[in-house]
Amino acid sequence: MSAATRHSAWLLLVWAVAVLAGCASLGPELPMASGDDPGPQELSLGVRTLGPDGEFEVLPSSLIARRLEARFPDRPLTLLALSGGGASGAFGAGAVVGLTRSGSRPEFSVVTGVSAGALIAPFAFLGPSWDPEMAAIYTEEIDKSLLQPRLIGAVFGSSMYSGTPLRRLIDRYADDRMLEAVATEAARGRLLLVATTDFATGEPVIWDLGSIALYGGRDARQLFRSVLLASASVPGMFPPVVINVRTRGGLHEETHVDGGVTLPFFIAPAPEDLPQFTGVGGQPTVVRIIIDGRLRDLPRGAKANALSIFSRSVSAGLSRMTRTTLEQTVAATRGRGISLDYAAIPVAYPLQGSFDFDPEAQRVLFTYASTCTEAGRLWTRVQQTSADPAAERRIVSAGTTCPADDQFIGRFAALEDRAHARQPEPSGGLERVGWSVAKPVD
């Protein structure tokens, strides 16, 4: 690029930024629900469920919990929560495949997903026979073409990137075959739940995708796809999604965006409503959380420009929100004696960013998660006593630090020991290790 071209491009960028504030009033008005006040169920994160009459109702968490316990009296309840994370969704997908390969994957009673986790959730819900398709998406299909710039549309439109590539990807795998399979499992009482954010109210909405699949038909398929698309549509990056919703108050349009705006991940039913022991012999309810990202970033600098500062600030805010939500979940489950396992990407893993859709980086992260899971080094378990510091430093194989080996991740498992949680990192912190994943030792 010549100096003159660079200068012209810079002037265009400066002009675009300068008019952004003035452009805020341009563009069509986004649809929003007509104005019924939200009831207490909506405010307490009830589950939006589609009935056989084609109308949605919001079921409270306590009712959902009672129904689950009644449908599965002979086995413990198992819940899997998948977080957002953009390109880091390859971690969650690899972990799910690793559970299959290790022989430790249960049939989850409930699977929940947010953003990237929402795209993984149907595969995790449907079971091992769907692993090859999920693996192909994260090791072959998702690449940089997912980010299709809108050029001048980024200034005057609703997003920097086109939503078409993501919509096409979802339409391809969320087909009639998938909906029929989801409906079959939903009829047994299992739950597939995905969160979006209602753009007008700024509140999270939890959708029961199983009830949508059970309703069936072309409209249900389109609604299923729209909810998945909305949950993964980062505002400003991808266009918001308009969803038609029919309730007793009639049909209205709502605008929805990424569920990660309001929820990094979620447990439904809520921990306070889950039964402590279920199944034959009174086995504990099991909750597992896969966080498609780090719980903390390594210190790093930022350029003295608006975009760099904004990006770093958003990253820090999301990381902190995830930690806070995890702390609250640990406290809630500990108080009820519920078994809780969680996993996150170690702080030393060389992530390049939430929107780095480099195919090789996706494959390496997928393989890393699968390998660590297959070796039994994915989960950190919340226990009543402090974690063993020596156990935190165990390594599966030379050059590979798995999630269960990360010291910072492990500290959340012993939140009552605040002195332990405040201890400084060992000298030099965690060293950056090689991430060409080797086969784990037995």
Side-chain angles (χ1 to χ4, degrees):
M1 183 183 293
S2 68
T5 303
R6 287 198 302 270
H7 182 66
S8 298
W10 174 246
L11 288 177
L12 178 61
L13 178 60
V14 170
W15 171 82
V17 172
V19 301
L20 278 178
C23 291
S25 61
L26 299 179
E29 194 77 18
L30 290 171
M32 60 180 289
S34 61
D36 295 337
D37 290 334
Q41 293 177 4
E42 284 88 342
L43 296 177
S44 62
L45 280 186
V47 176
R48 184 178 275 187
T49 302
L50 185 62
D53 58 358
E55 293 184 356
F56 278 103
E57 63 175 330
V58 178
L59 302 181
S61 170
S62 56
L63 175 60
I64 297 292
R66 290 196 299 271
R67 287 184 176 180
L68 276 172
E69 192 172 7
R71 291 299 295 267
F72 301 105
D74 58 343
R75 67 180 191 185
L77 296 181
T78 55
L79 290 80
L80 175 66
L82 297 157
S83 86
S88 299
F91 175 78
V96 171
V97 170
L99 288 174
T100 299
R101 293 173 179 172
S102 68
S104 61
R105 178 174 173 178
E107 181 184 77
F108 293 104
S109 314
V110 182
V111 176
T112 73
V114 175
S115 195
L119 304 184
I120 301 168
F123 298 100
F125 179 76
L126 290 175
S129 64
W130 290 75
D131 283 358
E133 292 181 45
M134 179 174 61
I137 290 172
Y138 280 93
T139 60
E140 300 174 16
E141 296 189 38
I142 291 183
D143 56 27
K144 294 179 181 179
S145 66
L146 199 64
L147 301 180
Q148 187 179 96
R150 299 185 68 191
L151 302 177
I152 199 68
V155 177
F156 297 103
S158 60
S159 64
M160 293 175 59
Y161 299 101
S162 169
T164 300
L166 180 58
R167 180 184 292 276
R168 286 175 177 166
L169 176 67
I170 291 172
D171 288 353
R172 189 163 67 253
Y173 77 74
D175 56 10
D176 289 337
R177 172 172 162 264
M178 172 174 277
L179 264 70
E180 289 170 4
V182 169
T184 297
E185 295 306 313
R188 296 176 52 217
R190 298 175 64 216
L191 292 175
L192 172 60
L193 308 176
V194 164
T196 64
T197 298
D198 186 323
F199 194 70
T201 66
E203 295 292 334
V205 177
I206 297 176
W207 304 79
D208 181 353
L209 290 186
S211 70
I212 296 173
L214 276 170
Y215 185 77
R218 184 180 63 182
D219 291 344
R221 182 181 64 222
Q222 184 56 46
L223 179 58
F224 191 100
R225 292 171 172 177
S226 293
V227 171
L228 290 177
L229 179 63
S231 186
S233 292
V234 179
M237 298 289 291
F238 297 107
V241 178
V242 176
I243 300 178
N244 293 317
V245 178
R246 184 182 297 278
T247 65
R248 291 181 181 178
L251 180 66
H252 57 268
E253 292 183 325
E254 296 177 350
T255 300
H256 287 260
V257 296
D258 191 346
V261 171
T262 48
L263 294 173
F265 63 85
F266 68 98
I267 308 299
E272 57 267 26
D273 295 321
L274 287 171
Q276 183 174 358
F277 299 104
T278 54
V280 177
Q283 300 176 65
T285 294
V286 177
V287 173
R288 287 181 164 177
I289 303 168
I290 298 177
I291 297 171
D292 289 327
R294 300 186 183 113
L295 291 176
R296 182 195 65 172
D297 284 336
L298 289 171
R300 68 176 188 267
K303 299 292 185 180
N305 61 66
L307 183 59
S308 179
I309 293 171
F310 175 77
S311 176
R312 180 69 179 119
S313 299
V314 169
S315 175
L318 291 176
S319 177
R320 181 60 186 171
M321 183 170 68
T322 301
R323 294 203 306 270
T324 299
T325 303
L326 181 58
E327 287 178 346
Q328 294 169 344
T329 304
V330 167
T333 54
R334 184 195 300 281
R336 293 187 55 78
I338 294 169
S339 176
L340 173 63
D341 299 334
Y342 63 90
I345 299 175
V347 66
Y349 189 94
L351 288 177
Q352 299 302 312
S354 296
F355 296 97
D356 176 27
F357 290 101
D358 177 74
E360 182 59 25
Q362 295 275 291
R363 285 190 288 269
V364 170
L365 181 56
F366 179 96
T367 303
Y368 161 74
S370 177
T371 300
C372 286
T373 306
E374 192 173 359
R377 301 302 300 148
L378 177 71
W379 304 114
T380 294
R381 172 156 294 180
V382 173
Q383 299 175 341
Q384 298 296 331
T385 57
S386 299
D388 175 11
E392 293 173 351
R393 291 191 291 271
R394 286 180 292 183
I395 295 177
V396 169
S397 59
T400 303
T401 300
C402 287
D405 308 314
D406 185 272
Q407 298 180 27
F408 188 82
I409 293 174
R411 289 176 183 174
F412 285 87
L415 287 179
E416 81 285 356
D417 187 354
R418 305 309 298 179
H420 175 268
R422 288 193 296 269
Q423 287 179 356
E425 292 287 345
S427 177
L430 290 174
E431 295 182 0
R432 188 182 181 90
V433 296
W435 298 99
S436 54
V437 180
K439 186 173 179 61
V441 296
D442 295 328

